[in-house]
Amino acid sequence: MDVLNADLRLQFASGLCLVERDRTTLQIGSDLPYCTVVHNAPPGAASLLKDLDGNRSTHQALLKLSERYGVELTSWVKFLSGLVAAGFVFRVPPAAGSERQLSEAACVRADRQALTIRFGPEAAAQAMRNRQEAVVQIVGAGRVAASMAALLAGAGVGHIHIEPDRLLRPGDICAAGVGHAGLVSDPVAAGESQSRNRRSSPGRRTGRAAAFSRPGAGTKADGKPFAVAPQSTTEMCSGHDTQQARQLIDRRALAQVVQRVAPQAAVHPPSGYVPPNLVVVAGDGPVDAAVLGSLHDRGIPHLAIRTTELTAVVGPFVMPARTSCVNCGHLSRADLDPAWPLVMLALNHQQSVPSSTHAAAAAAAGAGQVLQYLDGIEPPDTINGTLEWDSDSWLVRRRSWTIHPRCSCRR
């Protein structure tokens, strides 16, 4: 390593601790595999490593330490070369020193440091750019969906949109997701408030169309029509406004989950011309087959998450027409258990709310799979598989699911 080169810039993995065990022994890190003990370290080695941030020439720093401690440059070359080979010190391109100092939140810097320790500064910088440019859509309104949005926002994902699949409920409140302020205690009052605002708006047209609406007809569960009792104009407008008010307030509450962590993140729905990079389906109970079918037809990668009060299943991570899908797993289960379709039918009508810790654990595992895909360094662990665990043992097991021959996902 040519330390005489003025353009040489080195960066120490700053997330690791430095411990001077004695005058000549330096410990870097505390937990394996990111831990080592350096014997016969030059004096001032800890100070040097703390100053290696990649923004200055390493040669200048070595000259100052050599004059201060009377250590020859050859000793520093041997010391730094060993740490570079071991992956504790990284080479930084000359032009990257200023580019790395981005306007990042403190939590995003922590993610960059963690990536730098594992993969080096260049791979970490590229991964953080991938996150910033990514568009992630989360389908769901429960604890897992909201917690995942907060975690992804803190990890530096630039555009996160939560698409609620139902109205928010008091059971959706959780520490990392929706707060009390996001829930409407009196939806009727909210609807009436919106109606008053609309009526007071200048130039607004009156409800003449609603006044001339004739009573309609509905349909029973058995398909036979039935008459709808006529409603007054006020009742019809009030019910419609109440629903709209609830939906509007819910969407704002879910958007605030992201913006209170990352105010600069985009939260609007993805454009129809630019599909999201990834969709996470994390609603109540089993994943909706219609939603998965639409994502598969559009060729959008997606991740399925299912939780109950005591269990959680993260995956599979589906690359359409390339990896196994959720239906492949159902067909494989049906081969082993002919009654599995009946079990799925019962689960579809089950509305379960996971505990706070269980929802947070599922959201963390799901967010980790999303970030693995966005970073582009390692493939997600849930490709052709699922991560499953229960709250009693907290032992996570991975189950593999191959592409089922009767599934239409390869078409």
Side-chain angles (χ1 to χ4, degrees), residues 167-168 178 181-187 189-191 194 242-256:
L167 297 177
L168 291 178
V178 181
L183 295 177
V184 182
S185 58
D186 189 358
Q194 190 182 51
T242 299
Q243 184 74 6
Q244 281 193 333
R246 279 299 307 272
Q247 292 175 350
L248 179 60
I249 293 175
D250 287 355
R251 290 181 178 275
R252 289 178 177 175
L254 293 173
Q256 289 173 359

Side-chain angles (χ1 to χ4, degrees), residues 42-359:
S47 300
L48 172 65
L49 294 180
K50 293 177 182 179
D51 291 339
L52 293 181
D53 56 4
N55 296 321
R56 295 179 300 173
S57 171
T58 303
H59 177 62
Q60 297 177 354
L62 293 181
L63 288 179
K64 293 181 180 180
L65 286 176
S66 297
E67 295 176 359
R68 180 178 178 181
Y69 294 101
V71 180
E72 297 182 357
L73 286 179
T74 55
S75 298
W76 289 118
V77 171
K78 181 179 179 181
F79 172 70
L80 292 177
S81 298
L83 293 181
V84 170
F88 294 97
V89 175
F90 310 98
R91 295 176 181 267
V92 179
S98 58
E99 294 178 0
R100 292 188 309 106
Q101 302 299 326
L102 304 176
S103 57
E104 297 176 332
C107 57
V108 177
R109 296 193 194 103
D111 276 66
R112 178 189 288 273
Q113 286 184 355
L115 289 171
T116 300
I117 293 174
R118 296 180 61 194
F119 306 110
E122 294 185 31
Q126 182 60 51
M128 298 306 297
R129 285 193 292 267
N130 293 344
R131 296 183 185 184
Q132 181 62 34
E133 297 170 359
V135 180
V136 177
Q137 186 172 19
I138 302 176
V139 179
R143 292 182 166 193
V144 175
S147 299
M148 274 199 66
L151 292 174
L152 293 177
V157 178
H159 188 167
I160 305 170
H161 172 67
I162 310 178
E163 181 63 32
D165 55 350
R166 57 165 173 77
L167 297 177
L168 291 178
R169 298 192 295 258
D172 299 327
I173 296 175
C174 60
V178 181
H180 283 276
L183 295 177
V184 182
S185 58
D186 189 358
V188 176
E192 292 177 353
S193 175
Q194 190 182 51
S195 299
R196 287 195 299 270
N197 292 337
R198 289 183 175 180
R199 286 195 295 269
S200 61
S201 299
R204 182 184 180 275
R205 296 180 62 185
T206 59
R208 292 184 60 187
F212 286 98
S213 299
R214 64 176 179 85
T219 304
K220 292 184 178 180
D222 56 4
K224 296 180 181 180
F226 65 93
V228 178
Q231 292 178 314
S232 65
T233 304
T234 304
E235 290 174 342
M236 296 174 64
C237 291
S238 176
H240 180 68
D241 290 346
T242 299
Q243 184 74 6
Q244 281 193 333
R246 279 299 307 272
Q247 292 175 350
L248 179 60
I249 293 175
D250 287 355
R251 290 181 178 275
R252 289 178 177 175
L254 293 173
Q256 289 173 359
V257 171
V258 176
Q259 292 183 325
R260 71 166 175 252
V261 178
Q264 73 282 359
V267 295
H268 59 271
S271 169
Y273 299 99
V274 181
N277 300 88
L278 171 68
V279 174
V280 180
V281 185
D284 299 326
V287 184
D288 189 351
V291 174
L292 297 179
S294 175
L295 295 172
H296 193 278
D297 293 341
R298 296 164 59 191
I300 299 177
H302 50 278
L303 174 68
I305 300 179
R306 177 173 63 86
T307 56
T308 64
E309 293 91 340
L310 300 175
T311 62
V313 179
V314 176
F317 192 105
V318 182
M319 305 290 291
R322 295 167 55 190
T323 64
S324 65
C325 67
V326 176
N327 190 51
C328 289
H330 292 327
L331 292 174
S332 298
R333 285 177 179 267
D335 292 340
L336 301 174
D337 181 7
W340 177 250
L342 296 177
V343 177
M344 283 299 302
L345 184 61
L347 292 175
N348 287 331
H349 297 283
Q350 179 183 358
Q351 300 293 333
S352 59
V353 179
S355 65
S356 298
T357 54
H358 207 62

